[in-house]
Amino acid sequence: MGLLDKFKERLSKSRAAVLGRLGDALPGKKLDESLFEELEEVLIAADAGVETSLWLVEEVRRLARAEKVTDGGDLPRLLQTAMEKALEDCAAEMQEADVGPSFYLFVGVNGVGKTTSIGKLAYRYRRQGKKVLLAAGDTFRAAAIEQLLEWGDRSGCDVIRHSSGSDPAAVVYDAIVAGKSRSADLILCDTAGRLHNKTNLMAELAKMTKVAARELPGSPHEVLLVLDGTTGQNALSQTKAFQEVAKVTGIVVTKLDGTAKGGVILPIVREFGVPVKWVGLGEGLEDLEPFDAAAYASAICQTG
Ligand SMILES: Nc1nc2c(ncn2[C@@H]2O[C@H](COP(=O)(O)OP(=O)(O)OP(=O)(O)O)[C@@H](O)[C@H]2O)c(=O)[nH]1
Ligand SMILES: [Mg+2]
């Protein structure tokens, strides 16, 4: 299945929340203020956020005027264009080290899909022929290390680990030493799920970053904030909180399959200016895809 088809299939509930709510009766309807108002309500209900929804409607209004379009049947196409514009700065490229391994740190609150996303990404990079090491930086939750070991098995990657309860910064140190001596291309580092108001856990994150920067200058090359797409607006407050304590360079939005809240990607990108780099579209090994703004906009706005 191609990327566009996969986005269309997995984002079908989010499409239903936007296009489905606007109704099949768009063609023939007048593209007037009452339809714009309806669009605004639908976008807000689909978790696009108030500010971004207003921006999208204004953009659609502007496009309609410029193209002298007056039929409701054109609305999905105009909305698609507006969404693409909202997401235009969203290049999914991952930053890489000039020499030595690239070190990527995954952060986020509990249960959002950090460990799963690491496993999927490891599998993807392995298939590209890259040498990938996993670092079991979640020493806090019981069974977190075993869970990462399992993903190591599934993706064919070694896991650097210490015992449960040990200092995660020491895991970072060892993973970087191992990564250098084994000529790894990538180190993907797990962390414990943490609430942004737990200061000790946030301080721990700072220490991990500091050790990485010291042992591997230029790292972490990416700090990826993982957000659960099913939590809608909550994802926005998490982004704000994590941005205040960590240099978030990209976002992974998980669990977009089977949720109607996929509109949340729009305000994340527009209001925080952080690119969404990856999206989780299911629980399988191959269900992490690079975020593609055009495919996303098309999946939300096009039927058939
Ligand atoms: N449907 C679906 N489920 C997902 C996706 N990504 C992760 N999950 C599920 O979400 C649950 C939590 O995933 P984890 O990877 O353990 O989350 P975590 O952030 O590491 O959790 P903690 O380590 O407890 O903080 C698991 O049951 C995953 O299978 C996704 O893209 N789609
Ligand atoms: Mg985890």
Side-chain angles (χ1 to χ4, degrees):
M1 200 191 304
L3 192 66
L4 177 58
D5 287 334
K6 193 164 180 180
F7 270 59
K8 280 192 167 162
E9 185 192 282
R10 306 293 162 91
L11 286 164
S12 62
K13 282 207 179 142
S14 293
R15 173 171 58 249
V18 179
L19 268 205
R21 290 272 303 274
L22 286 169
D24 312 319
L26 282 173
K29 225 181 196 177
K30 213 168 161 26
L31 188 55
D32 57 9
E33 273 315 305
S34 89
L35 193 51
F36 286 135
E37 244 168 62
E38 208 180 313
L39 175 64
E40 183 187 315
E41 278 166 28
V42 163
L43 287 170
I44 292 171
D47 280 292
V50 175
E51 196 186 310
T52 298
S53 297
L54 290 173
W55 185 90
L56 285 167
V57 172
E58 191 47 42
E59 186 61 20
V60 169
R61 201 184 267 122
R62 195 186 63 76
L63 288 166
R65 220 181 292 129
E67 293 184 23
K68 298 189 168 49
V69 166
T70 54
D71 187 77
D74 287 300
L75 182 59
R77 181 179 58 81
L78 300 180
L79 181 60
Q80 185 178 338
T81 306
M83 282 187 181
E84 279 177 21
K85 189 171 175 192
L87 298 168
E88 69 189 353
D89 294 329
C90 215
E93 272 102 57
M94 296 282 275
Q95 291 166 56
E96 286 175 15
D98 296 331
V99 284
S102 302
F103 181 86
Y104 300 156
L105 191 66
F106 290 71
V107 302
V109 305
N110 299 82
V112 288
K114 294 178 293 299
T115 309
T116 306
S117 298
I118 287 172
K120 292 170 177 172
L121 201 57
Y123 178 72
R124 169 180 285 265
Y125 282 128
R126 276 272 296 142
R127 285 211 315 185
Q128 291 171 2
K130 298 218 160 101
K131 181 157 188 183
V132 184
L133 274 186
L134 307 185
D138 180 359
T139 57
F140 185 73
R141 185 171 62 84
I145 298 170
E146 285 71 25
Q147 191 192 353
L148 195 69
L149 282 169
E150 231 165 79
W151 279 107
D153 270 350
R154 295 175 78 184
S155 58
C157 302
D158 286 343
V159 179
I160 304 301
R161 63 185 194 272
H162 285 191
S163 55
S164 194
S166 62
D167 181 0
V171 179
V172 169
Y173 178 86
D174 275 0
I176 290 174
V177 169
K180 284 180 186 167
S181 71
R182 300 183 199 180
S183 308
D185 297 301
L186 289 165
I187 302 167
L188 307 183
C189 185
D190 201 7
T191 62
R194 66 198 71 219
L195 281 176
H196 43 80
N197 53 11
K198 292 269 164 72
T199 38
N200 56 332
L201 280 173
M202 282 304 187
E204 185 185 276
L205 211 55
K207 190 174 167 199
M208 292 171 89
T209 312
K210 208 168 121 193
V211 169
R214 191 184 67 211
E215 299 307 317
L216 197 61
S219 78
H221 302 91
E222 294 278 356
V223 177
L224 295 170
L225 173 63
V226 184
L227 299 169
D228 178 339
T230 68
T231 60
Q233 296 303 292
N234 234 324
L236 298 181
S237 43
Q238 287 168 24
T239 307
K240 189 164 183 291
F242 272 89
Q243 258 195 326
E244 280 164 12
V245 294
K247 224 174 120 242
V248 176
T249 58
I251 290 186
V252 182
V253 184
T254 62
K255 311 184 198 180
L256 283 176
D257 51 305
T259 179
K261 296 179 184 292
V264 74
I265 286 195
L266 293 151
I268 289 172
V269 174
R270 244 192 60 77
E271 289 168 33
F272 294 99
V274 189
V276 172
K277 300 209 170 180
W278 302 93
V279 286
L281 299 173
E283 289 189 274
L285 210 46
E286 299 189 23
D287 288 333
L288 190 80
E289 297 289 352
F291 180 65
D292 182 312
Y296 171 82
S298 158
I300 300 287
C301 298
Q302 275 181 24
T303 48

